Amino acid sequence: MPSSVSISLVIFVWITTIIIINHASTTVAKPQSSSLAQELKALNQTQCWYYAETTFSPCKWYGIVCNDGGSVIGINLNNTAYYVTNSFLSDFNFSSFQNLVQFKLAGVRLYGNIPPEIGSVSKLTHLNLSRNFLSEELPLSLAKLTQLEKLDISFNRMSGPIPLELGNLRSLVELHLGGNFFSGTIPSTLGLLTCLTHLDLHSNRINGTIPSEIYNLKNLMALHFDDNSLFGPISSKIGNLRNLTLLSLDSNQINGSIPLEIGNMRQLRHLDLHNNRLTGKIPSTLGNLTKLDFLNLAVNNLVGKIPPYVGHLTNLRYLDIHSNKINGSIPTEIRDLKKLVFLDLGINNLSGTIPPVFGHLATLCYLDIHSNQINGSIISTMGGLQFMQKLDLSNNYISGFIPHQLTQLTQLEYLNLSLNKLSGEIQPDIGDLLKLSVLDLSHNYLSGSIPIQLGNCSFLGQLFLSYNSFSGTIPLQVLYSVELTIVDLSHNLFSGNIPLKLGHFKNLRHLDLSSNTLTGYIPSTLAFQCQINLSYNCFEGPIPHGFWRNNTLKSVMGNKNLCNDHISGIPHFSTRIKKFSKLIKIIILAPVILGFLLLGVGIVFLSHRKVIRNNLNECKAMRNGNLFSIWNYDGNIAFEDIITATEDFDIRYCIGTGGYGSVYKATLPSGKVIALKKLHRIESQEPAFDKSFRNEAKVLSEVRHRNIVKLYGFCLHNRCMFLIYEYIERGSLFYAISNDVEAKELNWKKRVNIIKGIANALSYLHHDCIPTIVHRDLTTSNILLNSDFEAIVADFGIARPLNPDSSNLTTLAGTYGYIAPELAYTMVVNEKCDVYSFGVVVLETIIGRHPGELISSLASSSARHIMLKDVLDPRLSPHINQTIAQNVVLVVTLALACLRSNPKSRPTMKHVSQEILVRKPPLLKPFYEISMWELMNQEIYLVDKN
């Protein structure tokens, strides 16, 4: 009996236990099943998995990762645009995925904004939405994702400020927000993210200084702040970032010197500070960075010599210091950089000879020392650089022969020896450079004939041999290369006829044979799709039919015996000359007659002015003096009005500061609004400031042009110095293109009109003023915009008239980044210096930022891949009509011509002004297919050959 009772009891307990377990499992299973159903439903709503309804679990779907319970913990659809709809984010129910850990949709063409609901996925550790088309601001709900370790929203169209609330993401290891349109300052709260190893804010519109809290991120390994508008100096605290391997601050407005403490970052491998406003010397502590393999300090204002400790950087593969003010010779210690692949020392003040140690840099592929003061000859040891692809020694004082050892550089693709003092002949073995695509030997003293072996260079695309003393006939064999697009043989001694076969080279886009002694007829085969310049030769006979399709009268000027009698629909050449002669007579006689009239008016005016001046001297106490007369040096006329209007120059009326002095806005009792630049007492004691102030008063009192700021009066008393200008409503062009709101209002039509106004002003200063006046500091900061968006050139503090009886030597003056490169070594100022600055200003106006990096890129072989559409200001609509497209192409082409390294090759401002006025023919190819390389190398009637 007891045994049966025990057995019954055991059975009862066993059954009860099973019931309880089943009940418990049923209770748990119901909510779990409900959660999975919600996830399945949410995935189906996205319409990305078309077969979803036929399955009960998404765990085997593409890009879905589940946990052991079947719940979705990862969605990874990176680069799978086939599966993802544009509206995926707006259709996605984030609240249904409480276990989601990874959410990756990079490069799947997402549009719209990031929904605030994303903050409900509290377990998320990895969020990657990079390389899409997302816009608007970051949702503040991101701050709720406190377990987030990696956040990547780079390369989208996000805008607005970076939220302070991101400082709540204390678990964050990587933060990537680069390649967007974020604005405002860097939030100091990012300094709370002490786990960060990667911080990337590059290529945005962020301004302000780098907050000091950033230097507390001691785990940081990579810091990208490049391509923004940051300013201020680099803090010495940067030495705290001792784990940093990559530091990129390039393409900002950072100033000051490079701190010595940068040498504390011994793990650094990549350092990029180029395209800023850094000053001072290269610090000696950089020699501590022995792991460095990339160093770029280009396009700054660094001075001094290249320090010998550069030889300590034995792991260096890339070294770029171009476009600074580095002087002295190239140090011999550079021979220790055995791994060096890229070396650019161009556009500095380097002197001495090419060091023989260059021959020891066996791995070197790119060497550029152009636009320095290097002398001596080309060293023969360069022939040992077997991997050399680009060699640029142009614009120096190198003399002697071209050594035949250069022909041993069998990998060479780009060779530029132009603007030197090389002499002798081109050796026939230059044909051994089979990969050569660009050869520039122009502006030297080379002579002899062009070796036919050059025709072996089957990849040759551009050939520049102008301004030498080459003789003989046109080297037809050289032009057989099917890649040849540009040939410039101008300003030589070539003679004989043009070969008939020359017209069969269909790839040629530009052929310049001008200023030679070529004779005979122009072959009819030359009437092909190519710009050709045959001017200033000895051609005769008819101009072939079809020639005018791509060329103008300028293409054949200076050939006395040419005619076009046989071309129907075009006037005879003799008739053109007669009409041209009549036009010249009119142009000459009209100013003479007008001059006599003006002389008579001037005499009457001066007599009347003398009477007025005598009256003014008798009425010094008059409160409201004539604001439109140039004031006397005592400044008594209306002086009280100025003091009253500015409340004795109270800071409330100050609207800015310039290179010297402060600018005030004031309203006179008459109601007229003026701008007043006042030199501070301390500044007035500095001879340089005093001289600039008086110089501006003198220059502006002598010029009158609608695009030049009007000077109403001045006071040059030793106790109080100020200038009175017309008030220009919209401020500087620099502000307009730096401010997103203003920049969008500055459409393409307005920008072209602004460029036109600047060109007109400079043309007036250079060609209508006697003597010629050179501005010397043309920048976007010194261009003002009135209420109609017209350009007003201002700030003539360092302007000067050119004296034809003097050498016009000067000290280097102006704003770095706008100064013509030849001023660094010639110190001779002329109007072509302004032309170069104009080119920089035009590109800055078109691309929306300083073009320093673009100008450098255009000098390299990569320029042929830079498309015009890709450099335009992205804040404006890329969709422009045909007329605007023509104007944009024109002004960019003019700008590139103005930036030519040889001042003689730059157009005059009169030509530029006239070109902008002339209506251009339609573009020969679609706007979006035009490259900067094409614009840089085509000549559209720009250069004054006379």
Side-chain angles (χ1 to χ4, degrees):
M1 186 71 180
S3 59
S4 62
V5 172
S6 299
I7 293 171
S8 300
L9 184 61
V10 170
I11 293 171
F12 174 79
V13 171
W14 179 66
I15 293 173
T16 303
T17 303
I18 291 175
I19 293 172
I20 294 173
I21 291 174
N22 287 337
H23 178 73
S25 63
T26 303
T27 305
V28 172
K30 285 183 179 179
Q32 182 179 3
S33 175
S34 175
S35 174
L36 296 179
Q38 288 180 1
E39 291 179 356
L40 181 61
K41 181 180 179 181
L43 292 174
N44 285 330
Q45 286 177 345
T46 64
Q47 299 180 359
C48 289
W49 293 273
Y50 299 109
Y51 48 84
E53 294 181 1
T54 62
T55 60
F56 296 101
S57 173
C59 296
K60 293 185 179 181
W61 295 356
Y62 181 87
I64 300 294
V65 180
C66 297
N67 60 17
D68 293 338
S71 180
V72 176
I73 61 172
I75 298 177
N76 185 356
L77 298 177
N78 284 353
N79 305 307
T80 54
Y82 175 79
Y83 293 95
V84 183
T85 60
N86 294 339
S87 60
F88 184 95
L89 288 183
S90 59
D91 296 334
F92 193 78
N93 188 351
F94 288 96
S95 60
S96 298
F97 298 89
Q98 296 303 311
N99 294 313
L100 193 63
V101 175
Q102 296 188 354
F103 190 60
K104 301 178 180 180
L105 281 86
V108 294
R109 303 185 65 84
L110 295 174
Y111 284 83
N113 62 340
I114 301 176
E117 292 79 12
I118 198 170
S120 63
V121 193
S122 58
K123 294 182 180 180
L124 207 60
T125 62
H126 289 71
L127 175 59
N128 188 349
L129 302 176
S130 63
R131 291 178 283 113
N132 285 295
F133 300 94
L134 299 172
S135 56
E136 301 186 28
E137 298 185 6
L138 284 176
L140 297 182
S141 61
L142 283 175
K144 297 178 181 179
L145 306 178
T146 55
Q147 297 187 43
L148 208 58
E149 297 175 5
K150 181 176 180 179
L151 174 59
D152 190 348
I153 313 179
S154 58
F155 299 103
N156 278 284
R157 298 173 178 175
M158 306 298 296
S159 59
I162 298 174
L164 295 171
E165 290 77 4
L166 290 186
N168 295 335
L169 306 179
R170 304 299 177 85
S171 299
L172 212 57
V173 176
E174 294 186 27
L175 176 59
H176 302 272
L177 302 179
N180 281 286
F181 299 103
F182 290 116
S183 57
T185 59
I186 300 173
S188 59
T189 53
L190 295 186
L192 301 174
L193 308 179
T194 54
C195 295
L196 271 186
T197 62
H198 291 73
L199 176 56
D200 185 356
L201 307 180
H202 85 279
S203 300
N204 279 288
R205 296 172 181 173
I206 300 169
N207 54 35
T209 59
I210 300 174
S212 59
E213 290 81 0
I214 295 296
Y215 304 117
N216 297 330
L217 305 177
K218 296 185 179 181
N219 289 314
L220 213 55
M221 298 175 63
L223 179 62
H224 295 268
F225 283 170
D226 48 291
D227 198 12
N228 280 288
S229 299
L230 299 171
F231 55 81
I234 301 173
S235 171
S236 58
K237 293 181 180 179
I238 199 167
N240 296 340
L241 306 179
R242 299 188 178 226
N243 290 314
L244 211 60
T245 61
L246 184 150
L247 174 61
S248 186
L249 303 178
D250 64 275
S251 302
N252 282 287
Q253 301 171 36
I254 296 172
N255 55 22
S257 58
I258 302 173
L260 293 173
E261 289 78 5
I262 206 165
N264 296 341
M265 298 186 289
R266 304 293 181 96
Q267 303 301 315
L268 209 58
R269 298 177 182 272
H270 182 112
L271 176 59
D272 195 345
L273 304 178
H274 87 273
N275 197 15
N276 279 290
R277 299 175 180 176
L278 296 170
T279 56
K281 297 182 178 181
I282 301 173
S284 58
T285 52
L286 274 185
N288 299 335
L289 308 181
T290 55
K291 294 185 178 181
L292 212 59
D293 67 4
F294 182 101
L295 175 60
N296 193 344
L297 305 177
V299 196
N300 278 291
N301 210 11
L302 299 172
V303 298
K305 299 180 179 181
I306 300 175
Y309 68 79
V310 71
H312 298 170
L313 309 179
T314 54
N315 286 302
L316 211 56
R317 294 170 51 85
Y318 185 107
L319 176 60
D320 192 349
I321 318 179
H322 85 269
S323 299
N324 280 285
K325 297 179 180 178
I326 304 296
N327 55 32
S329 58
I330 301 172
T332 57
E333 287 80 3
I334 210 164
R335 67 184 169 214
D336 296 324
L337 307 182
K338 303 294 186 182
K339 298 181 181 180
L340 205 60
V341 174
F342 182 104
L343 176 60
D344 192 344
L345 306 176
I347 317 180
N348 279 290
N349 298 323
L350 295 170
S351 56
T353 60
I354 301 174
V357 296
F358 275 171
H360 300 291
L361 304 178
T363 58
L364 206 58
C365 295
Y366 181 110
L367 175 59
D368 189 341
I369 57 173
H370 85 279
S371 299
N372 280 287
Q373 301 175 43
I374 304 295
N375 53 40
S377 59
I378 301 174
I379 57 173
S380 59
T381 54
M382 279 192 172
L385 305 179
Q386 294 300 308
F387 298 101
M388 183 66 67
Q389 296 176 12
K390 176 176 179 178
L391 177 60
D392 191 344
L393 309 180
S394 64
N395 202 8
N396 280 289
Y397 297 99
I398 300 171
S399 58
F401 301 118
I402 300 175
H404 72 88
Q405 286 86 350
L406 286 188
T407 61
Q408 299 172 13
L409 307 180
T410 55
Q411 302 300 313
L412 202 61
E413 299 176 6
Y414 179 102
L415 177 60
N416 192 346
L417 306 178
S418 65
L419 289 160
N420 278 293
K421 298 181 178 181
L422 296 170
S423 57
E425 299 184 359
I426 301 177
Q427 298 301 318
D429 49 5
I430 195 170
D432 295 338
L433 301 178
L434 300 180
K435 295 186 177 181
L436 199 63
S437 62
V438 177
L439 175 62
D440 192 346
L441 303 178
S442 60
H443 294 270
N444 278 290
Y445 303 110
L446 299 169
S447 58
S449 58
I450 307 300
I452 61 174
Q453 290 84 351
L454 189 58
N456 297 337
C457 305
S458 56
F459 293 100
L460 193 62
Q462 298 180 32
L463 177 63
F464 304 94
L465 301 178
S466 60
Y467 291 92
N468 281 287
S469 299
F470 293 118
S471 57
T473 58
I474 300 295
L476 188 63
Q477 297 91 335
V478 174
L479 306 182
Y480 274 126
S481 173
V482 295
E483 300 291 335
L484 211 53
T485 58
I486 300 174
V487 177
D488 189 349
L489 305 179
S490 65
H491 295 83
N492 280 288
L493 303 173
F494 291 114
S495 58
N497 298 336
I498 297 179
L500 293 175
K501 292 184 178 180
L502 189 60
H504 298 303
F505 302 134
K506 301 299 184 182
N507 287 329
L508 270 180
R509 296 181 183 176
H510 181 95
L511 175 63
D512 194 342
L513 302 177
S514 63
S515 299
N516 282 285
T517 56
L518 298 169
T519 57
Y521 293 95
I522 299 175
S524 59
T525 53
L526 276 186
F528 53 85
Q529 63 277 14
C530 163
Q531 287 185 341
I532 182 169
N533 190 348
L534 303 177
S535 60
Y536 301 100
N537 279 284
C538 302
F539 293 114
E540 59 184 335
I543 298 173
H545 180 69
F547 184 84
W548 303 112
R549 180 172 40 184
N550 299 300
N551 300 285
T552 67
L553 192 59
K554 280 195 173 185
S555 300
V556 290
M557 290 288 287
N559 292 277
K560 297 181 179 179
N561 297 319
L562 282 176
C563 64
N564 55 8
D565 296 6
H566 302 289
I567 303 176
S568 59
I570 299 178
H572 296 323
F573 195 83
S574 56
T575 306
R576 285 176 176 264
I577 296 299
K578 289 178 182 178
K579 289 183 178 180
F580 187 74
S581 300
K582 290 180 180 179
L583 182 60
I584 291 296
K585 290 178 181 178
I586 295 172
I587 292 173
I588 293 174
L589 290 176
V592 173
I593 296 171
L594 184 61
F596 279 112
L597 292 174
L598 291 177
L599 180 62
V601 174
I603 293 172
V604 175
F605 174 77
L606 290 175
S607 301
H608 183 62
R609 186 180 180 188
K610 185 174 181 180
V611 174
I612 294 175
R613 184 179 297 169
N614 291 334
N615 292 336
L616 289 176
N617 288 333
E618 296 173 2
C619 304
K620 287 185 179 180
M622 183 174 64
R623 270 183 67 82
N624 294 310
N626 181 8
L627 197 61
F628 294 92
S629 65
I630 300 302
W631 296 6
N632 62 10
Y633 282 88
D634 292 329
N636 290 326
I637 302 175
F639 181 82
E640 292 180 4
D641 290 340
I642 297 297
I643 298 300
T644 302
T646 60
E647 295 183 28
D648 199 13
F649 301 107
D650 190 277
I651 195 172
R652 290 183 295 119
Y653 296 90
C654 183
I655 58 175
T657 56
Y660 54 92
S662 298
V663 181
Y664 298 79
K665 178 184 177 183
T667 304
L668 297 179
S670 62
K672 188 168 190 65
V673 181
I674 60 169
L676 183 149
K677 183 193 288 186
K678 181 179 182 294
L679 191 64
H680 300 144
R681 181 73 60 86
I682 296 177
E683 292 172 334
S684 65
Q685 297 172 1
E686 291 289 333
F689 290 134
D690 180 86
K691 180 180 179 182
S692 295
F693 209 78
R694 293 177 184 276
N695 184 67
E696 184 164 15
K698 181 178 184 301
V699 171
L700 287 180
S701 65
E702 297 173 351
V703 300
R704 285 291 183 273
H705 191 275
R706 65 176 296 173
N707 296 113
I708 295 177
V709 67
K710 292 180 178 64
L711 181 70
Y712 289 154
F714 58 80
C715 171
L716 297 178
H717 196 277
N718 58 0
R719 291 187 179 180
C720 186
M721 302 182 70
F722 55 80
L723 306 176
I724 308 295
Y725 309 89
E726 65 175 327
Y727 176 69
I728 310 298
E729 297 86 345
R730 292 187 172 272
S732 72
L733 175 59
F734 174 80
Y735 169 77
I737 60 180
S738 300
N739 182 283
D740 288 350
V741 177
E742 295 281 340
K744 291 177 182 177
E745 189 175 3
L746 215 60
N747 59 33
W748 293 120
K749 184 177 180 180
K750 290 175 181 174
R751 296 193 192 202
V752 171
N753 194 52
I754 288 168
I755 292 167
K756 174 183 174 182
I758 302 170
N760 290 342
L762 290 178
S763 179
Y764 166 81
L765 293 172
H766 292 180
H767 302 284
D768 298 329
C769 293
I770 302 176
T772 292
I773 295 175
V774 182
H775 189 280
R776 294 211 297 162
D777 195 20
L778 190 73
T779 69
T780 51
S781 298
N782 294 336
I783 306 296
L784 306 178
L785 302 180
N786 64 16
S787 58
D788 296 324
F789 292 96
E790 289 183 312
I792 308 294
V793 179
D795 206 337
F796 284 72
I798 62 173
R800 61 175 294 179
L802 293 185
N803 188 344
D805 299 323
S806 70
S807 63
N808 291 311
L809 287 173
T810 183
T811 55
L812 190 61
T815 302
Y816 184 73
Y818 300 85
I819 302 174
E822 67 271 10
L823 273 180
Y825 55 89
T826 65
M827 294 299 177
V828 178
V829 62
N830 56 45
E831 60 269 30
K832 291 302 179 74
C833 302
D834 276 356
V835 175
Y836 183 92
S837 302
F838 172 81
V840 178
V841 168
V842 171
L843 286 187
E844 187 172 354
T845 305
I846 293 298
I847 72 177
R849 56 187 174 84
H850 190 277
E853 188 172 2
L854 174 62
I855 294 173
S856 301
S857 300
L858 292 175
S860 66
S861 58
S862 63
R864 64 178 67 238
H865 304 299
I866 301 175
M867 305 303 292
L868 173 60
K869 66 180 179 63
D870 294 332
V871 302
L872 299 180
D873 193 336
R875 294 169 293 185
L876 295 188
S877 171
H879 304 293
I880 56 180
N881 62 39
Q882 178 70 11
T883 302
I884 296 298
Q886 289 175 228
N887 288 329
V888 171
V889 168
L890 171 64
V891 296
V892 173
T893 305
L894 289 166
L896 295 173
C898 292
L899 294 173
R900 290 170 182 161
S901 57
N902 180 15
K904 295 180 180 178
S905 298
R906 297 172 197 152
T908 64
M909 287 311 305
K910 188 173 185 178
H911 276 167
V912 172
S913 179
Q914 290 172 345
E915 286 296 322
I916 296 176
L917 289 174
V918 177
R919 184 179 179 86
K920 293 300 168 190
L923 299 176
L924 297 178
K925 61 190 304 186
F927 179 77
Y928 293 104
E929 294 180 14
I930 297 174
S931 70
M932 296 294 286
W933 185 266
E934 290 174 303
L935 300 185
M936 185 169 59
N937 290 285
Q938 70 173 319
E939 182 176 340
I940 54 169
Y941 337 124
L942 302 179
V943 181
D944 186 357
K945 296 293 184 182
N946 297 316

